[in-house]
Amino acid sequence: NDKPIVNSSEQKLWKTKKLKNTFLVTTILFIVATLVLLVLFVLSLTGLINIPAFQIASKSSAIESKAYDTPEEVIDQFVLAIQNNDFESALELFAVNNMVEGYDFEAYVERINAFMPINSMAPQEYEAYSVINNAYQLNSVSNQIKMFAYSLLIPELDLTSMTFLQDIEDDNIDLLDELDPSQLGSLELVRTNFSSPENQRSEIHQDNIDRLARIYGFSDQEEYVALFEFEGDYYLGGFVLVEFEEGWQISGLGAPLAGVSFLGLEQITESEYLENFGD
């Protein structure tokens, strides 16, 4: 029953070796797990595999970009996406990726002769800012699409200000039911018109487009007004479209030269539209 005698120094050395081995094994396992997750994440981003856990990260960094040969085609595709409740396809028609990638921070500051951090993208020259700039642009266009839909679904409310619950209840409005996007399937694009032709073709406006083109990297810009019909009523909207190498994309849902807001559609009669914007 005699037990071997182990002195304290040998026992301490044995414990030290055991700790080192445990640490080494743990480190190796951590590195292997990290590499596996990294490979899976990259494959998810490229679309080679579909992993739900990585879908949010993949979609939040950038969206797929679609472009068409003419501004009219882009507008038609946007309306089709809204009719189909396909807001993802609607987002893909916007020049988010191209305007972020082509952004020239110094040209922007020089154009306005000022620096407004809250209303501008960060310098794209530094790669770290890319994801922030992308999110900034996505937030802007997503809000415009939301306001486009809301202005059709609840036209009786002022979407540019807060409406209190008591007022909503007094008007017998059930917001959840009213905001059901499936109703947008009946939306129709009646016609589009090149907005304010004289102003758009003026030398001053073309110079302004050239300066914007240097900031965002596009080659041309055009503005259109549009007449929509929804549930028996007519609505006025607008589109600013920009041309890149791939084709035309949407910059914003408004028409500033015609005084059409980017924050939703406004009701109008067909005769009023034709009188102000028709050929």
Side-chain angles (χ1 to χ4, degrees):
N1 295 329
D2 292 340
K3 295 181 180 179
I5 299 174
V6 180
N7 60 42
S8 60
S9 61
E10 289 178 339
Q11 192 175 26
K12 190 176 295 184
L13 179 62
W14 179 80
K15 288 183 178 180
T16 301
K17 287 183 178 180
K18 185 178 180 180
L19 286 173
K20 285 183 178 179
N21 290 335
T22 303
F23 177 76
L24 180 61
V25 172
T26 303
T27 302
I28 292 174
L29 290 174
F30 176 77
I31 292 174
V32 171
T34 301
L35 289 174
V36 170
L37 287 173
L38 181 60
V39 170
L40 291 175
F41 178 68
V42 172
L43 290 174
S44 178
L45 286 177
T46 59
L48 295 177
I49 60 175
N50 183 22
I51 304 177
F54 292 132
Q55 286 179 353
I56 295 177
S58 174
K59 290 186 178 181
S60 65
S61 59
I63 61 169
E64 184 180 342
S65 185
K66 295 179 181 177
Y68 289 86
D69 292 336
T70 67
E72 290 84 358
E73 286 180 274
V74 183
I75 295 173
D76 287 341
Q77 289 299 315
F78 176 81
V79 175
L80 180 62
I82 297 299
Q83 290 170 335
N84 293 333
N85 288 187
D86 189 355
F87 296 134
E88 183 173 352
S89 290
L91 277 172
E92 291 171 353
L93 296 168
F94 284 78
V96 171
N97 296 339
N98 280 326
M99 294 186 78
V100 168
E101 292 172 5
Y103 181 63
D104 187 325
F105 175 77
E106 290 184 334
Y108 172 80
V109 173
E110 290 174 3
R111 178 177 179 267
I112 66 173
N113 198 31
F115 176 43
M116 299 176 63
I118 197 170
N119 290 324
S120 65
M121 288 192 286
Q124 182 66 15
E125 288 79 358
Y126 302 109
E127 187 176 351
Y129 285 126
S130 294
V131 66
I132 295 176
N133 288 339
N134 193 275
Y136 176 86
Q137 288 291 337
L138 273 176
N139 179 68
S140 175
V141 301
S142 297
N143 191 54
Q144 290 180 53
I145 294 174
K146 179 185 71 176
M147 297 296 278
F148 182 98
Y150 279 15
S151 60
L152 292 167
L153 297 171
I154 44 175
E156 61 270 40
L157 298 185
D158 180 1
L159 301 180
T160 61
S161 63
M162 181 179 294
T163 303
F164 292 96
L165 182 59
Q166 183 62 49
D167 297 328
I168 295 174
E169 292 176 344
D170 289 345
D171 290 335
N172 294 316
I173 298 174
D174 187 325
L175 279 179
L176 188 59
D177 287 342
E178 295 288 343
L179 294 175
D180 180 358
S182 66
Q183 302 171 81
L184 296 172
S186 63
L187 175 67
E188 290 186 18
L189 175 64
V190 179
R191 61 182 295 158
T192 59
N193 290 85
F194 191 69
S195 173
S196 308
E198 291 186 6
N199 289 333
Q200 283 205 70
R201 297 189 179 108
S202 69
E203 184 176 347
I204 294 176
H205 184 70
Q206 290 301 316
D207 287 342
N208 186 48
I209 290 178
D210 289 341
R211 288 193 291 271
L212 288 172
R214 285 194 291 272
I215 295 173
Y216 297 106
F218 58 77
S219 59
D220 197 6
Q221 174 182 291
E222 291 186 356
E223 178 182 306
Y224 286 77
V225 290
L227 179 65
F228 300 93
E229 184 179 1
F230 181 67
E231 297 185 344
D233 293 316
Y234 290 95
Y235 294 83
L236 170 66
F239 294 86
V240 176
L241 302 110
V242 286
E243 185 179 28
F244 289 89
E245 185 177 350
E246 305 95 318
W248 287 90
Q249 297 176 299
I250 301 172
S251 171
L253 299 179
L257 291 177
V260 178
S261 171
F262 289 90
L263 298 177
L265 307 176
E266 59 181 271
Q267 286 188 294
I268 192 174
T269 65
E270 186 174 19
S271 59
E272 287 174 337
Y273 178 92
L274 294 174
E275 181 180 348
N276 289 284
F277 307 108
D279 296 331

